[in-house]
Amino acid sequence: MEANDNIKVIKGIGEKTEKAFRKLGIETVQDLLEHFPRGYEEFNHPVPIAAVSEGMTTSIEASLTASPKVKKVRNLQIINVQVKDPSASISLTWFNMPFLQKTLRTGSRYIFRGKVIRKNGVLVMEQPGIYQWENYAKLIKVLQPSYPLTEGITNTTISKAVKQVLSELTMAKDYIPKKLAKEYGLLDRTKAMKEVHFPKDRSSMIKARERLVFDEFFLYSLALRKLKEKRQLVKSEYVMKEEGATGALIDALPYPLTKAQLRVWKEIRTDLQGEYVMNRLVQGDVGSGKTILAILALFLAVKNGYQASLMVPTEVLAKQHLKSLTELLSPFGVSVCLLVGSMTAKEKREAYQRIGNHEADIVVGTHALIQEKVEYDRLGLVVTDEQHRFGVKQREALMNKGGNPHVLVMSATPIPRTLAIILYGDLDISIVDELPARRLPIKNCVVDTNYRPNAYRFIEKQAALGRQAYVICPMVEESEEIEAENVLEYTERLREALPPGIKVEYLHGKMKPKEKNQVMERFADGGIQVLVSTTVVEVGVNVPNATVMMVENAERFGLAQLHQLRGRVGRGEHQSYCIFVCGSSSKEAWERLEILNKSNDGFFIAGEDLKLRGPGDIFGIRQSGDMDFKLGDIFTDARVLKEAAEAVKKLTDQEVDAIFEGNPYLEDRILHRTASTL
């Protein structure tokens, strides 16, 4: 069995299962191995029923007091049974498992394991696993992997397949030099891969995970080192002169620039006027005014006779930028052109012609900007917005369109400077650390699920004032594996709770790009009052009229991600509000959310996040999903990130070359920021 083999080489995986695996992004044996557990179940000795409480996932040993009852609700079959032990009794519920009527016998004792919730004022254990003592005893203290799933793929399916691969696949030679592995106390990679899937105990799992996280950060730092070597002190073909060109534009703005904006603009301008190519990251909190700095840079490039491009993550945002750039710059004789994937073939041909003939000064678009057919005329500046959504590879492709244009990267992800220097090692960093005085601070509150009716009434009042609202849920559809609010059901519930005149629509990542664009455009135009969505709205649209952000199951998101979501509101002249609904009774979850409640400062929140979550705290939510690391988290694993970057600095050029020569697919994979190879 080879790492690049199709997963059909694994016993038990036919065409139907292969198709289901593809939904999880798993096509090869290697993909399967890198489909890491999202958590682990630890089986403990059963507890008395009297000791269980809401929110616990636990085991009880109990007997049935009566035969199971089946109730039909729409397409759902609900099985309910009462069980007891010497201490108390509790109700158990299963969905669509009618066969339990025959297999569960009155008076017999079983071990039931599941999550305890409160329904109609009483405790209920939902969808518990059922065990006989002899089988359960073998599981006690063993960590059972719990994988991300999709329809047609069970946890057992993945578990069996991974076991077979681990027993039959010969792992490739480790690419981390032995001296570094010893210096940083790294576990052998083959052993780490086995232990992360099927750990002996918690300590083994933590060590295994740390090794694989180190690999991800190590390879990422290695890619940045290669990029930096390519770009270091490249002579600029596009030296620019200021000569008051941007002064007129700054004077024409309806508001003065902040001191932070002026300071960062000076850094950008100095780069553009210098003899070497600019590679700069502008990091600033949501609403700090980074966009106007990008516009000033684009304007300066155009005034020096060059073309410039602005690459953004979504078509809706590209169209919004087209509109605002045209309004602001057309009085100065600047022409702006759009290039996005949904344009017709004719529209694209016309755009290519305008770009190639230099009839368009600034080109705004999505990934369409880096297509082979696009030919620029003296592309002097490339600006990418929300850089973490693109990755290094795409940025490189756009740069290659213009020889060696200047590169300006804008990011609203508030990462502490120490980590930003590592993560954006190929870029110089500027920070806009001041908000414009005209911005009204967002009012926040952290509430439990009982507050929902009040929140709905508040959204209704805001809609009556002509405002709009977002409601964020962590899931698209209901899952037996996770208790969390989901977009599709929630939309129906909200439509029933709000007056018929309020238009409620949903948005999620599984929708086709065209559908997503249509929904976002209708929301941006005011045709939708309430948008129920997953975190797909985290970047990509500017709706100044949206004044409410309500986040369900806020405890399931990282603080950095919650802060990004909050940044979708507070963009207009009206007071904005953020409601974080916590579905957990855990003290730690409430303490975390309280940080957001107290502060709107993304950099403060990122710093507190780093302090709050120690390196061993790996069972919580990922804080920084933006970076696309499969296991590593830049906040939780900050120490490992620093060590991996330090290790890469210690490598000689010969050692770097040897790593890439021994792993021919490595460079391409890590430039896409995927996890490490075998």
Side-chain angles (χ1 to χ4, degrees):
M1 190 183 291
E2 299 289 328
N4 288 325
D5 284 346
N6 186 281
I7 53 167
K8 281 206 285 190
V9 301
I10 301 166
K11 280 177 203 162
I13 296 181
E15 278 187 30
K16 192 178 175 185
T17 314
E18 181 204 15
K19 197 175 176 182
F21 265 120
R22 213 176 293 141
K23 288 183 195 169
L24 291 168
I26 300 170
E27 295 186 14
T28 66
V29 168
Q30 171 134 335
D31 293 336
L32 178 69
L33 270 189
E34 291 179 354
H35 189 71
F36 298 113
R38 58 171 164 76
Y40 301 85
E41 261 198 282
E42 193 166 2
F43 287 65
N44 294 316
H45 286 279
V47 300
I49 292 174
V52 307
S53 60
E54 184 183 357
M56 281 176 76
T57 298
T58 190
S59 304
I60 56 173
E61 187 173 6
S63 56
L64 275 68
T65 58
S67 297
K69 293 174 184 171
V70 180
K71 183 172 70 172
K72 283 195 174 184
V73 179
R74 289 185 299 234
N75 297 327
L76 211 58
Q77 287 184 304
I78 302 170
I79 295 86
N80 193 268
V81 70
Q82 198 75 11
V83 299
K84 68 171 185 177
D85 69 6
S87 74
S89 63
I90 191 170
S91 181
L92 310 181
T93 302
W94 291 270
F95 302 104
N96 292 334
M97 296 175 75
F99 58 86
L100 292 178
Q101 263 189 310
K102 293 177 183 175
T103 54
L104 291 174
R105 300 181 186 281
T106 308
S108 296
R109 292 184 73 76
Y110 303 92
I111 291 172
F112 301 100
R113 177 177 173 77
K115 184 165 183 177
V116 179
I117 64 166
R118 191 174 293 279
K119 267 193 177 174
N120 302 321
V122 296
L123 294 179
V124 178
M125 186 179 275
E126 265 197 352
Q127 209 74 9
I130 306 164
Y131 304 87
Q132 298 291 345
W133 173 254
E134 58 269 25
N135 293 327
Y136 189 84
K138 296 172 189 172
L139 299 173
I140 289 175
K141 294 296 177 190
V142 175
L143 289 178
Q144 298 292 326
S146 181
Y147 294 97
L149 303 174
T150 190
E151 191 180 345
I153 300 289
T154 65
N155 210 61
T156 307
T157 306
I158 296 180
S159 218
K160 276 185 180 175
V162 171
K163 273 180 184 165
Q164 190 193 328
V165 169
L166 288 171
S167 66
E168 294 182 20
L169 181 69
T170 305
M171 303 283 186
K173 186 185 170 190
D174 199 337
Y175 43 71
I176 292 186
K178 283 181 182 174
K179 63 173 184 178
L180 288 179
K182 189 177 177 183
E183 183 180 344
Y184 292 99
L186 300 176
L187 197 65
D188 171 73
R189 180 171 170 77
T190 301
K191 190 176 179 185
M193 193 59 85
K194 289 176 180 175
E195 288 287 337
V196 85
H197 285 285
F198 305 108
K200 288 197 293 288
D201 50 39
R202 185 172 289 241
S203 166
S204 304
M205 184 275 296
I206 287 172
K207 277 192 167 178
R209 181 188 174 280
E210 190 167 296
R211 163 64 214 252
L212 297 172
V213 167
F214 187 97
D215 282 7
E216 287 192 306
F217 292 153
F218 178 84
L219 292 173
Y220 179 71
S221 296
L222 204 56
L224 287 183
R225 174 169 163 169
K226 295 278 279 183
L227 282 175
K228 202 164 187 179
E229 282 169 5
K230 278 187 205 172
R231 296 192 194 149
Q232 232 163 16
L233 296 180
V234 174
K235 283 275 189 182
S236 174
E237 300 168 38
Y238 308 103
V239 177
M240 301 186 192
K241 293 176 182 176
E242 167 60 28
E243 294 176 353
T246 54
L249 179 56
I250 292 171
D251 291 341
L253 295 175
Y255 44 79
L257 297 181
T258 63
K259 286 178 185 173
Q261 284 174 313
L262 289 168
R263 184 188 70 246
V264 173
W265 170 233
K266 187 180 178 184
E267 291 167 357
I268 295 167
R269 199 175 61 219
T270 302
D271 283 353
L272 294 173
Q273 292 173 301
E275 59 179 314
Y276 298 109
V277 170
M278 173 177 76
N279 285 293
R280 185 167 291 277
L281 169 75
V282 174
Q283 208 186 357
D285 211 344
V286 172
S288 59
K290 299 179 299 300
T291 306
I292 192 60
L293 297 174
I295 291 170
L296 287 169
L298 293 166
F299 185 66
L300 184 58
V302 170
K303 284 297 163 189
N304 277 270
Y306 308 126
Q307 273 184 319
S309 66
L310 173 61
M311 186 173 174
V312 296
T314 68
E315 292 198 2
V316 179
L317 191 58
K319 287 172 184 174
Q320 288 186 324
H321 276 308
L322 174 74
K323 186 171 181 281
S324 57
L325 281 168
T326 303
E327 286 172 1
L328 190 61
L329 301 181
S330 60
F332 294 91
V334 176
S335 65
V336 189
C337 168
L338 180 73
L339 188 57
V340 293
S342 67
M343 287 164 62
T344 64
K346 185 187 175 189
E347 287 171 334
K348 282 181 187 171
R349 274 198 309 275
E350 287 172 357
Y352 296 152
Q353 194 172 350
R354 284 188 68 200
I355 295 164
N357 295 341
H358 203 142
E359 290 168 37
D361 299 311
I362 297 173
V363 190
V364 183
T366 53
H367 287 84
L369 295 182
I370 58 176
Q371 289 174 344
E372 286 177 22
K373 290 180 182 175
V374 189
E375 288 186 14
Y376 296 87
D377 177 54
R378 298 169 76 205
L379 180 63
L381 172 67
V382 169
V383 179
T384 64
D385 187 18
E386 294 294 355
Q387 179 266 352
H388 55 279
R389 293 284 165 181
F390 295 115
V392 179
K393 193 81 172 177
Q394 289 92 334
R395 204 167 76 223
E396 283 277 273
L398 190 50
M399 283 178 60
N400 292 338
K401 290 283 180 186
N404 277 304
H406 296 285
V407 177
L408 184 62
V409 175
M410 320 296 283
S411 178
T413 309
I415 301 168
R417 190 176 179 87
T418 51
L419 301 186
I421 288 167
I422 297 168
L423 289 165
Y424 303 110
D426 59 323
L427 304 168
D428 297 314
I429 298 175
S430 292
I431 297 181
V432 186
D433 52 5
E434 183 184 359
L435 289 177
R438 67 188 183 282
R439 282 257 171 175
L440 286 172
I442 294 166
K443 291 184 178 179
N444 308 294
C445 65
V446 181
V447 297
D448 63 21
T449 52
N450 294 325
Y451 186 81
R452 268 195 206 118
N454 294 337
Y456 294 165
R457 281 198 297 276
F458 183 71
I459 288 171
E460 189 180 330
K461 284 178 185 172
Q462 288 288 300
L465 292 169
R467 317 278 177 264
Q468 292 164 274
Y470 296 94
V471 179
I472 305 298
C473 299
M475 297 167 61
V476 178
E477 296 159 330
E478 191 171 6
S479 162
E480 291 174 7
E481 296 288 310
I482 307 170
E483 272 293 321
E485 292 298 335
N486 69 85
V487 169
L488 303 180
E489 271 197 10
Y490 199 105
T491 302
E492 289 305 315
R493 196 193 315 164
L494 202 51
R495 282 171 180 163
E496 288 171 17
L498 295 173
I502 296 176
K503 184 79 170 165
V504 182
E505 292 287 349
Y506 63 78
L507 180 74
H508 58 76
K510 290 185 180 178
M511 291 165 70
K512 290 176 181 171
K514 191 177 178 182
E515 289 176 309
K516 280 194 279 191
N517 279 331
Q518 286 170 348
V519 172
M520 290 304 281
E521 281 177 3
R522 286 209 310 279
F523 187 64
D525 294 340
I528 297 168
Q529 280 74 50
V530 182
L531 185 62
V532 182
S533 176
T534 56
T535 55
V536 73
V537 301
E538 190 182 335
V539 298
V541 70
N542 180 35
V543 185
N545 194 46
T547 55
V548 182
M549 169 61 70
M550 180 176 172
V551 185
E552 287 284 358
N553 294 106
E555 76 283 357
R556 297 191 61 81
F557 300 97
L559 293 189
Q561 194 170 33
L562 287 171
H563 179 66
Q564 287 284 94
L565 287 167
R566 175 167 59 185
R568 294 295 99 206
V569 296
R571 291 168 167 262
E573 57 183 347
H574 308 292
Q575 178 64 58
S576 287
Y577 308 86
C578 197
I579 305 164
F580 299 108
V581 183
C582 184
S584 167
S585 54
S586 147
K587 185 186 169 192
E588 289 79 10
W590 282 80
E591 282 176 355
R592 282 181 60 253
L593 293 174
E594 200 53 38
I595 294 169
L596 283 165
N597 197 17
K598 286 177 182 170
S599 176
N600 288 317
D601 181 343
F603 288 95
F604 168 78
I605 290 162
E608 289 298 298
D609 214 356
L610 210 49
K611 286 185 221 167
L612 195 66
R613 299 173 61 81
D617 179 15
I618 62 174
F619 292 98
I621 67 283
R622 285 167 60 78
Q623 296 294 305
S624 49
D626 291 333
M627 301 306 295
D628 281 347
F629 296 117
K630 289 195 176 181
L631 270 183
D633 181 283
I634 62 172
F635 289 87
T636 303
D637 303 303
R639 175 186 58 82
V640 184
L641 174 61
K642 288 172 185 173
E643 286 180 355
E646 185 184 89
V648 167
K649 282 182 183 174
K650 292 177 180 178
L651 293 170
T652 64
D653 290 343
Q654 288 77 12
E655 285 170 326
V656 171
D657 291 340
I659 289 170
F660 283 106
E661 281 164 17
N663 297 270
Y665 302 107
L666 206 55
E667 187 166 6
D668 187 55
R669 292 194 56 161
I670 57 185
L671 284 175
H672 276 95
R673 288 188 178 175
T674 55
S676 46
T677 58
L678 295 170

